[in-house]
């Protein structure tokens, strides 16, 4: 049941893309830092938070962090089918990284008053965290039974896989739509990452 680990990467491909200003051959990824802090009375002072000079930089900040999460999913794919300990170590390594990423994205300011893209990413990244911490751990525990897995165990594995796929599909559509709207609002276009698509296709072939 190795491929059950990868339900969460079956449709999130357009998001690994770059926003380019229409008619431009280059992108800018520069960010600066501002300091803002919230006082008890609700007023804001300075605190450490990223500030973005361009929409491209804003887009890339989110997508590069999504790529980091996907790297851990690919690590799960590379672990051997019987090596549950390695997979547990990958989960333990991934969770604090995802927590850090969630904190970074939550700290992003609105871009020209818009938080839709940022908030869609927060929802999706939160789903990744739950998938690693809950769903993947549950799959590992069942697969540790090896040949002793029952029909009920197999049914549970399928149930977990279906739940991951269905939940991720909705969150993926929401983030894709938010990214496209963000690009359109800022005179940019979203391009699919064909290199990642090929990597996912090759992984799916391996796992079938």
């Amino acid at each position: 049941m190795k491929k059950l680990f990868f339900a969460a990467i079956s449709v999130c491909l357009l998001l690994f893309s770059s926003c380019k200003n229409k008619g431009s051959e280059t992108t800018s990824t520069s960010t600066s830092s501002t300091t803002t802090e919230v006082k008890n009375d609700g007023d804001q002072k300075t605190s450490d938070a990223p500030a973005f000079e361009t929409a491209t930089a804003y887009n890339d900040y989110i997508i590069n962090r999504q790529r980091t999460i996907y790297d851990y999913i690919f690590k799960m794919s590379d672990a051997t089918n019987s090596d549950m300990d390695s997979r547990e170590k990958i989960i333990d390594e991934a969770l604090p990284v995802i927590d850090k990423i969630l904190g970074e994205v939550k700290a992003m300011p609105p871009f020209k008053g818009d938080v839709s893209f940022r908030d869609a990413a927060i929802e999706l990244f939160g789903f990744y965290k739950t998938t690693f911490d809950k769903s993947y751990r549950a799959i590992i525990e069942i697969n540790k039974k090896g040949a002793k897995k029952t029909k009920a165990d197999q049914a549970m594995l399928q149930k977990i896989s279906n739940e991951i796929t269905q939940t991720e599909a909705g969150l993926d559509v929401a983030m894709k739509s938010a990214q496209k709207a963000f690009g359109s609002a800022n005179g940019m276009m979203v391009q699919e990452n064909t290199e990642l698509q090929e990597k996912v296709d090759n992984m799916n072939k391996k796992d079938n």
Side-chain angles (χ1 to χ4, degrees):
M1 305 288 296
K2 184 177 179 182
K3 63 189 280 186
L4 288 180
F5 280 94
F6 315 122
I9 63 171
S10 59
V11 293
C12 278
L13 299 178
L14 181 63
L15 298 181
F16 285 90
S17 55
S18 61
C19 280
K20 291 187 177 182
N21 289 327
K22 292 179 180 178
S24 173
E25 296 299 324
T26 61
T27 61
S28 169
T29 57
S30 60
T31 63
S32 57
S33 183
T34 57
T35 327
T36 62
E37 107 186 32
V38 179
K39 298 198 248 176
N40 289 335
D41 60 6
D43 292 335
Q44 288 191 347
K45 295 194 313 184
T46 1
S47 128
D48 288 332
F52 299 89
E53 298 176 4
T54 66
T56 299
Y58 199 90
N59 174 84
D60 290 352
Y61 189 86
I62 292 173
I63 299 308
N64 287 338
R65 280 150 183 76
Q66 189 183 21
R67 184 186 297 276
T68 296
I69 297 173
Y70 270 50
D71 285 343
Y72 284 105
I73 298 175
F74 286 125
K75 285 183 181 181
M76 296 289 279
S77 171
D78 292 337
T80 60
N81 214 19
S82 60
D83 194 352
M84 296 298 123
D85 289 340
S86 290
R87 283 179 168 162
E88 287 181 319
K89 288 178 181 177
I90 293 168
I91 292 171
D92 291 339
E93 180 185 344
L95 285 173
V97 175
I98 297 174
D99 267 333
K100 181 175 181 290
I101 286 171
L102 276 167
E104 290 171 342
V105 177
K106 287 176 181 179
M108 295 175 71
F111 192 84
K112 296 182 180 179
D114 184 10
V115 296
S116 300
F117 183 26
R118 181 201 69 186
D119 288 353
I122 290 169
E123 289 294 320
L124 186 58
F125 296 174
F127 162 78
Y128 290 147
K129 178 182 176 182
T130 301
T131 298
F132 271 90
D133 196 27
K134 305 295 183 184
S135 304
Y136 285 0
R137 288 195 194 279
I139 291 171
I140 287 172
E141 287 306 310
I142 294 173
N143 280 331
K144 282 181 177 179
K145 297 180 181 181
K148 295 182 179 180
K149 284 198 294 286
T150 65
K151 289 183 178 179
D153 291 328
Q154 297 285 2
M156 179 57 67
L157 286 173
Q158 191 60 57
K159 180 175 183 290
I160 293 170
S161 176
N162 291 343
E163 288 174 349
I164 291 173
T165 301
Q166 291 169 9
T167 303
E168 193 273 344
L171 294 173
D172 171 65
V173 168
M175 187 165 167
K176 281 181 180 177
S177 298
Q179 189 191 23
K180 287 180 179 178
F182 178 81
S184 177
N186 291 283
M188 312 174 82
M189 62 182 179
V190 178
Q191 296 178 321
E192 183 175 352
N193 187 319
T194 54
E195 180 181 353
L196 180 74
Q197 175 71 67
E198 183 177 355
K199 185 174 181 180
V200 172
D201 289 345
N202 289 337
M203 184 189 71
N204 288 337
K205 289 176 183 177
K206 178 184 70 175
D207 294 325
N208 287 333

